[in-house]
Amino acid sequence: MTKDLYPLGEIPPVGEVPARMHAMVIRPERFGPPEKAMRPEVVETPRPGPGQVLVMVMAAGVNYNNVWAGQGQPVDVIAARTKLGDPTGFHIGGSDGAGVVWAIGAGVRHVAVGDHVILSPGQWDETAPDMRMYGDPGYSTSGLAWGYETNYGSFAQFCLVDDYQCHPKPTGLTWEMAACFLLTGATAYRQLCGWPPHVVTPGDPVLVWGGAGGLGSMAIQIVRRFGGRPVAVVSDESKYEYCLGLGAVGVVNRSHFDHWGRLPDVTDTAGYARWSRGARAFGQAVWEALGERVPPRIVFEHPGTDTMPTSLYLCAPSGMVVTCGGTSGYNGDIDLRFLWMRQKRLQGSHGANTRQFRAVVDLVAAGDIVPCLAGTASFAEIPWAHQLMYENRHPRGNQAVLVNAPTVGLRDLPAAAPAVG
Ligand code: NAP
């Protein structure tokens, strides 16, 4: 007989979908820091609609998306969905995950119940006119961050994805390794390899902010993989070895400098001169780390307000600053003179397309880059793991949490669960 609810870690027979499931839930009345916003609850298990796949989640990855979702800032994702007719009134986050296909909706032909999959975190409408015209979800207004702008992410026993989000899990990876890297890895890959002619080529110096973070740890490896010379920036010398071990040619400690934040007005002569001195000194440190007095051809941005003025200043003439975030704020000031006189490019980048997601899975499967799994928490520790990230006290690299996997180190289902029917 089908059970109504399974405890976490107890795997139902393959294909059996219980009526309810355990989930880590955000509700508007709890918006705030992660430890306040996220609570375990039991909710109804969603059913896959046309083109959708229900995945039994073995492990999930921790990302900034659920920090933002829990704060209700910069977007109240629950209110946004309620407006579009979502009746749930809650958010189940989780934009990275790995698990087993448990049920498929009408029209799903290339994914089957029982497949072991890694989930990519982008959703879009494949029939949208702008998808058909331009062929890249990054250019489509239908693009959404799964487990952030959409409900039923990976912080629950079952999650709901579109079929194209399912990528074959490399058999050598444990569930927690498979769950932790794709969002950061593919975002970094698109930033570094997706904007020709500014793609990493052999010898290119590349400045990587947050080198020990989720994006940064993947970026260092990708730059190295394509022959570039990554210089990592961190805030603490204890992170040097980690970045060097991933392939950075040098590391700079940003806490030795204090010119961060918004650019002084160009009419504030003293303030602007102070900022220029700080930016030049930082540039000098980057040269020293690189071992050569050449500016970075690509600057890998995501901290935003604190670093953007320096990023644009340091970038090589005809080089590119490519950004995907604003951890320290969304006001990214630039002195336009550096942009036009040195003919630099300021490029936005968001998520990745299917080919880029798969390229990163393939790089990991081939052992060319590693997932940088820094730690694995339990399901109950999901709020705490996000709290550490919110406070920038989380471990280096990427973090995972176990959902249905009863223990770390598993690469398969714990015991062959009988198929239903
Ligand atoms: P993460 O693991 O927390 O790493 C970010 C790193 O940035 C930190 O380790 C920190 O390293 C550094 N940092 C923090 N504040 C900084 C500041 N004020 N100035 C300079 N560096 C600072 O986070 P992540 O997963 O890499 O994500 C980083 C950002 O990118 C987040 O805002 C996230 O939302 C965004 N993101 C966007 C996309 C997209 O598709 N648009 C995808 C992934 C992530 P140190 O303290 O050592 O310098």
Side-chain angles (χ1 to χ4, degrees):
M1 206 184 79
T2 307
K3 275 211 234 173
D4 173 58
L5 176 70
Y6 281 82
L8 278 157
E10 188 183 315
I11 314 276
V14 177
E16 178 184 312
V17 180
R20 297 182 306 145
M21 64 176 187
H22 293 280
M24 193 57 75
V25 177
I26 293 171
R27 292 187 182 271
E29 55 273 26
R30 298 197 290 260
F31 276 161
E35 285 192 318
K36 173 171 176 252
M38 302 167 202
R39 288 273 176 282
E41 293 187 22
V42 170
V43 300
E44 272 182 39
T45 311
R47 304 285 150 160
Q52 290 185 317
V53 173
L54 188 75
V55 174
M56 201 263 308
V57 182
M58 294 299 277
V62 176
N63 285 294
Y64 242 94
N65 278 353
N66 221 35
V67 174
W68 303 128
Q71 294 181 94
Q73 292 288 345
V75 179
D76 177 344
V77 290
I78 299 172
R81 283 200 298 269
T82 305
K83 237 190 225 169
L84 297 174
D86 178 347
T88 59
F90 61 67
H91 177 65
I92 300 174
S95 302
D96 257 326
V100 182
V101 173
W102 225 247
I104 57 174
V108 173
R109 291 194 304 277
H110 303 291
V111 176
V113 171
D115 285 356
H116 291 194
V117 290
I118 296 187
L119 304 171
S120 55
Q123 279 192 350
W124 48 82
D125 176 356
E126 296 207 305
T127 68
D130 54 7
M131 269 301 290
R132 288 180 168 166
M133 288 292 288
Y134 308 115
D136 188 302
Y139 308 146
S140 173
T141 51
S142 73
L144 295 170
W146 170 69
Y148 177 54
E149 291 164 292
T150 74
N151 214 339
Y152 297 115
S154 56
F155 296 138
Q157 285 177 300
F158 294 91
C159 69
L160 209 48
V161 296
D162 289 340
D163 57 356
Y164 54 81
Q165 289 178 258
C166 297
H167 303 264
K169 179 178 97 60
T171 47
L173 296 187
T174 63
W175 291 112
E176 59 277 14
M177 285 163 96
C180 78
F181 70 86
L182 194 49
L183 187 150
T184 54
T187 304
Y189 183 88
R190 184 177 175 94
Q191 284 182 264
L192 295 164
C193 304
W195 302 105
H198 294 92
V199 295
V200 179
T201 55
D204 283 346
V206 179
L207 186 68
V208 177
W209 292 103
L215 284 174
S217 56
M218 302 310 281
I220 291 172
Q221 298 184 80
I222 292 166
V223 172
R224 207 50 199 236
R225 167 65 181 74
F226 291 100
R229 292 181 289 163
V231 173
V233 184
V234 296
S235 59
D236 181 341
E237 262 149 50
S238 67
K239 299 177 179 176
Y240 277 31
E241 279 310 309
Y242 181 76
C243 295
L244 294 169
L246 291 174
V249 295
V251 189
V252 179
N253 187 345
R254 68 180 167 96
S255 56
H256 294 161
F257 304 86
D258 61 5
H259 64 292
W260 310 117
R262 299 199 65 177
L263 195 62
D265 195 279
V266 290
T267 58
D268 169 7
T269 317
Y272 197 88
R274 228 181 359 261
W275 176 82
S276 295
R277 275 197 300 280
R280 274 201 307 276
F282 182 75
Q284 186 83 37
V286 172
W287 284 342
E288 279 162 24
L290 184 66
E292 194 184 353
R293 289 170 73 88
V294 288
R297 178 167 177 261
I298 299 177
V299 179
F300 182 85
E301 246 293 336
H302 50 88
T305 299
D306 278 354
T307 53
M308 184 56 88
T310 305
S311 291
L312 192 83
Y313 169 74
L314 287 187
C315 177
S318 83
M320 174 178 73
V321 176
V322 58
T323 185
C324 74
T327 313
S328 63
Y330 308 119
N331 290 103
D333 295 340
I334 54 172
D335 182 332
L336 285 170
R337 291 169 294 185
F338 299 127
L339 188 73
W340 92 66
M341 293 296 288
R342 302 291 182 209
Q343 308 195 47
K344 302 181 184 186
R345 174 177 179 182
L346 176 55
Q347 177 67 53
S349 193
H350 185 53
N353 60 34
T354 302
R355 185 180 51 74
Q356 292 163 336
F357 284 122
R358 186 63 66 89
V360 172
V361 173
D362 290 347
L363 285 172
V364 171
D368 286 352
I369 61 175
V370 296
C372 287
L373 175 63
T376 306
S378 68
F379 184 82
E381 290 170 328
I382 289 173
W384 167 79
H386 285 87
Q387 186 72 29
L388 291 185
M389 179 166 251
Y390 172 66
E391 295 172 11
N392 196 15
R393 293 195 297 120
H394 52 308
R396 290 142 214 187
N398 294 307
Q399 299 179 80
V401 295
L402 297 183
V403 181
N404 274 313
T407 147
V408 294
L410 290 177
R411 291 173 170 77
D412 207 334
L413 287 177
V420 155

